[in-house]
Amino acid sequence: MIDKQADKQTAIVSGDEVFTHSAGRRLALYAAYAIAGLVAFIYVLNLAIGGTGSTGSTGAIDVENNSITIALRQEPPELDAGRATDAISHIVLAHVMEGLIAYDIDDNLTPGVAERWEIREDGATFWLREDSLWNDGVPVTAADFVFAWRRVVDPASASQYSFIMFPVKNAEAITNGELPPETLGVRAISDRILEVDFEQPTPYFEKLAAFLTYYPMRQDFFESTNGRYGADPDMMLYNGPYTVTEWVHGSTMRWVKNPLYWNDEKGFLDEIHTAYITEDVNAKLNLFKDGQIVDTHLMSPMLPEAMEKRWQIDRSMDGTVFFLEFNHRQERVTRNRNFRRAMQLAQDPAELVYKALKEPSYLPAVSLFPAWLKGVSASFLEEYPPVKHQMNLVRAREHLELARQELGIEEFPPLMLLTDSSPIGMLSAEYYQQLFLKNLGLEVRIDPQIFKQRLEKMRQGEFDLVMGGWGPDYNDVLTFGDLFSSWNLQNRGRYKSDEMDSWVRIAQSELDPRKRMDAFGEIQRLLYEDVVILPQYERGFSFVVDPRLKDFKRRSVGPEVDYNYAYIDGTKNSK
């Protein structure tokens, strides 16, 4: 994370360039339909807000009680850190839990439970601080990390993030059922010393240790929950700046300052009230305008009103790349490379971004690897330019005919496109539905699902195509580069390639920076040539924050939104 600031600056400059060139051209259009639409939807939105709000909300900022009110997009599906895979759960867990290493306000790695550490070729040693406590007053010990990590790689846990433990000795073999969890290369030398053995050299291990899958868990408490760990506030232990004290599922949460948390440079608020859980960006805008939540992101049609009100509009790239992922399982027509190649040649990400989505904070994706990732001495994409993609309908239809012959079918069956039910998800899905019908004569049926159900369908492989995305777990190219290795359970379409696996293995263990980046260059090439995915866009956000809230963070690496360092300046006027 040491070079994070330079990477973020590059990403923001790119986003600003898109914003500058596109926002002005569309300003008049946006203003017209924003104003026209405002009268139509304001009554409905007010009803929606009244129905989703909590009677306990005291406004965006309560200076007297040192509390703020926020909104989450969805209900967090999984607050068991060893099993969580989604961004919403990560937001909550990053405020109530802490691992060996954390992130500071400037996105650099900083001590967490470990006050210091040493990374070697063969392993690592972490020295834990004495004042790190669980919220019941019991010290956090090295044994809590040993138990948590063993549980992640235990096949019985079915953790979809077990792959991120593979640098630890025997982790992969344990996940595959070849060794017992007790053989994992992690040991509690004492309550305060944790020793880790590596499967191969892992110079980036400190970046991994900051990720939520590496968080601790206390064995006696976990076993006392009888399989309900993380289901409710009293079914969790907390060692972070805040604790969850209330959780009305699907409606509200309350995070309260943890008085036993060791670090007096985090957790300045006494309470964070998640009074609204809604994907409706229009409703959240109304909540912000009415002084009910402290921040919200803005869609393109909202920008004219925000400018008119002279709000300070901030922009950032959130680090996430979105893509259409194919199902490579044997029973799906999308397993055929010529079929995937036809779809690849029949689309252009720039058209999706600029003509369909029209979001000035989005960038057309040219690769699985986003623009902000650092290579050896410059950005990765500068040092390893991806294949320059061009739409070609003649060649696309030639490949489609080859696919039909190879599959031995008269006509192609309808394709099931799995997507989330958000406005952007539906807009993107409808775009592809029309595009592939027009350009290739393919019928695409849209399967919109709420967040949790979409994750389950992705896990089960119930799709031909899925609107997927990947955000960084840690600040290294590998956080994207190993996504389509055969052992990665986040590889939802089950793509499998011996060549891909061999390049990932090199990228995991190679100590020479240039050779390691060369491996990522080959992974990028193979992703395009084998048509593993169709890149769509790099997501950026335009957003507004109550000016009284200071040091609110949006991150590319770490939780999407971060209030751990936020504090209230009661001397400033509201919006």
Side-chain angles (χ1 to χ4, degrees):
M1 293 296 291
I2 301 301
D3 300 318
K4 180 66 185 64
Q5 280 299 96
D7 294 340
K8 184 175 181 183
Q9 186 178 23
T10 300
I12 291 176
V13 168
S14 299
D16 286 344
E17 289 173 355
V18 175
F19 186 90
T20 301
H21 288 95
S22 60
R25 292 195 303 267
R26 303 191 183 100
L27 184 57
L29 175 61
Y30 292 158
Y33 63 70
I35 293 169
L38 183 61
V39 175
F41 66 59
I42 191 167
Y43 176 71
V44 175
L45 290 179
N46 282 331
L47 286 178
I49 290 166
T52 59
S54 167
T55 56
S57 175
T58 55
I61 290 181
D62 182 346
V63 177
E64 182 179 353
N65 292 306
N66 191 32
S67 70
I68 65 172
T69 299
I70 66 172
L72 290 178
R73 289 199 308 274
Q74 295 108 357
E75 168 98 341
E78 180 63 82
L79 290 187
D80 177 344
R83 291 168 50 86
T85 65
D86 66 283
I88 303 302
S89 299
H90 192 180
I91 290 172
V92 180
L93 287 166
H95 290 84
V96 302
M97 296 289 292
E98 183 170 74
L100 294 165
I101 300 173
Y103 293 105
D104 67 14
I105 187 66
D106 296 316
D107 295 307
N108 298 315
L109 293 176
T110 190
V113 177
E115 57 186 2
R116 62 187 177 95
W117 58 89
E118 174 186 79
I119 309 293
R120 306 177 302 275
E121 276 198 33
D122 64 343
T125 304
F126 295 89
W127 288 268
L128 277 57
R129 63 181 68 254
E130 294 184 359
D131 54 351
S132 178
L133 305 175
W134 294 105
N135 65 299
D136 63 358
V138 176
V140 180
T141 68
D144 298 333
F145 289 93
V146 173
F147 174 74
W149 296 9
R150 285 177 177 174
R151 180 172 169 266
V152 168
V153 298
D154 188 340
S157 297
S159 171
Q160 295 181 59
Y161 254 110
S162 59
F163 72 91
I164 209 167
M165 286 277 178
F166 285 4
V168 180
K169 191 171 182 61
N170 294 333
E172 186 172 2
I174 296 167
T175 299
N176 293 334
E178 299 166 5
L179 290 172
E182 294 73 24
T183 62
L184 185 67
V186 58
R187 302 180 303 285
I189 303 301
S190 68
D191 283 352
R192 307 262 70 84
I193 300 177
L194 183 72
E195 192 75 25
V196 183
D197 297 329
F198 292 162
E199 190 70 50
Q200 65 269 325
T202 311
Y204 53 91
F205 189 76
E206 62 182 359
K207 300 174 182 178
L208 296 178
F211 188 60
L212 78 164
T213 311
Y214 283 80
Y215 286 174
M217 179 181 287
R218 207 173 78 208
Q219 184 173 2
D220 66 318
F221 183 88
F222 173 78
E223 292 174 348
S224 74
T225 64
N226 296 316
R228 297 195 67 248
Y229 183 87
D232 288 296
D234 61 345
M235 293 289 109
M236 291 181 66
L237 273 184
Y238 311 96
N239 73 323
Y242 298 94
T243 66
V244 179
T245 60
E246 296 177 18
W247 185 1
V248 180
H249 288 279
S251 178
T252 63
M253 299 182 81
R254 191 183 301 271
W255 314 341
V256 172
K257 183 180 178 67
N258 181 0
L260 299 181
Y261 181 59
W262 65 272
N263 190 352
D264 60 6
E265 296 182 359
K266 291 172 71 173
F268 300 115
L269 300 167
D270 288 330
E271 182 179 296
I272 300 173
H273 188 199
T274 304
Y276 310 93
I277 297 177
T278 176
E279 286 189 276
D280 189 333
V281 292
N282 292 311
K284 284 190 284 189
L285 177 63
N286 251 26
L287 288 166
F288 182 80
K289 288 191 296 185
D290 291 344
Q292 297 301 306
I293 58 175
V294 292
D295 69 278
T296 188
H297 81 272
L298 303 173
M299 305 294 286
S300 292
M302 302 171 177
L303 293 174
E305 182 180 5
M307 294 174 182
E308 181 182 344
K309 291 181 177 294
R310 299 186 180 277
W311 292 341
Q312 179 180 333
I313 303 172
D314 294 310
R315 294 181 298 278
S316 69
M317 306 304 292
D318 80 341
T320 304
V321 174
F322 284 81
F323 46 81
L324 267 183
E325 182 174 354
F326 292 100
N327 195 333
H328 299 264
R329 291 171 174 83
Q330 190 59 35
E331 68 273 14
R332 303 284 177 167
V333 295
T334 44
R335 73 185 184 275
N336 182 277
R337 182 184 177 278
N338 274 311
F339 186 81
R340 301 194 305 272
R341 180 68 169 146
M343 298 187 78
Q344 180 187 55
L345 290 168
Q347 57 79 48
D348 181 355
E351 181 177 274
L352 168 70
V353 171
Y354 297 133
K355 294 185 178 180
L357 302 182
K358 299 178 181 177
E359 282 298 322
S361 296
Y362 287 14
L363 297 175
V366 296
S367 168
L368 174 65
F369 301 104
W372 59 268
L373 279 175
K374 183 174 172 54
V376 178
S377 56
S379 77
F380 175 76
L381 292 183
E382 287 175 340
E383 295 179 343
Y384 296 87
V387 175
K388 187 173 178 57
H389 175 73
Q390 289 185 323
M391 184 187 291
N392 189 322
L393 294 183
V394 173
R395 290 183 58 204
R397 290 160 185 161
E398 291 173 353
H399 281 283
L400 190 65
E401 175 57 23
L402 287 173
R404 189 191 65 78
Q405 295 174 18
E406 290 170 352
L407 291 167
I409 57 179
E410 289 298 320
E411 60 183 25
F412 293 100
L415 300 174
M416 191 61 67
L417 172 56
L418 177 63
T419 185
D420 66 86
S421 55
S422 69
I424 285 290
M426 290 303 299
L427 184 60
S428 300
E430 291 165 0
Y431 165 80
Y432 284 114
Q433 182 183 53
Q434 297 169 15
L435 179 81
F436 291 129
L437 179 62
K438 175 184 175 183
N439 291 346
L440 296 176
L442 297 173
E443 180 184 354
V444 175
R445 296 177 181 174
I446 300 172
D447 180 18
Q449 297 289 335
I450 63 172
F451 189 58
K452 191 170 185 177
Q453 292 175 358
R454 179 175 63 88
L455 291 178
E456 180 59 21
K457 281 200 161 190
M458 289 170 69
R459 189 180 71 83
Q460 296 289 350
E462 297 178 12
F463 61 88
D464 294 299
L465 301 139
V466 60
M467 305 277 288
W470 192 252
D473 298 328
Y474 50 96
N475 189 20
D476 188 88
V477 188
L478 187 63
T479 193
F480 291 90
D482 68 354
L483 183 56
F484 293 100
S485 57
S486 61
W487 57 83
N488 191 331
L489 294 182
Q490 302 300 319
N491 175 1
R492 310 292 191 172
R494 294 296 181 266
Y495 170 75
K496 188 178 188 307
S497 162
D498 291 341
E499 183 182 2
M500 174 67 75
D501 288 352
S502 67
W503 287 119
V504 172
R505 295 291 190 194
I506 292 171
Q508 288 176 327
S509 59
E510 178 58 59
L511 295 178
D512 182 289
R514 176 58 66 186
K515 291 179 180 178
R516 187 166 183 261
M517 291 299 153
D518 287 346
F520 289 122
E522 293 300 320
I523 291 170
Q524 179 175 249
R525 172 192 58 79
L526 190 58
L527 286 167
Y528 185 84
E529 291 181 357
D530 231 5
V531 200
V532 183
I533 58 172
L534 300 180
Q536 295 176 293
Y537 56 88
E538 295 184 38
R539 185 171 64 185
F541 280 111
S542 298
F543 62 96
V544 286
V545 183
D546 190 305
R548 295 171 293 174
L549 187 70
K550 304 302 181 184
D551 285 349
F552 163 80
K553 288 283 293 184
R554 276 192 175 272
R555 297 184 185 270
S556 293
V557 179
E560 182 181 294
V561 290
D562 190 343
Y563 305 93
N564 278 317
Y565 294 94
Y567 66 94
I568 296 170
D569 183 350
T571 65
K572 300 293 182 182
N573 293 325
S574 185
K575 299 173 284 297

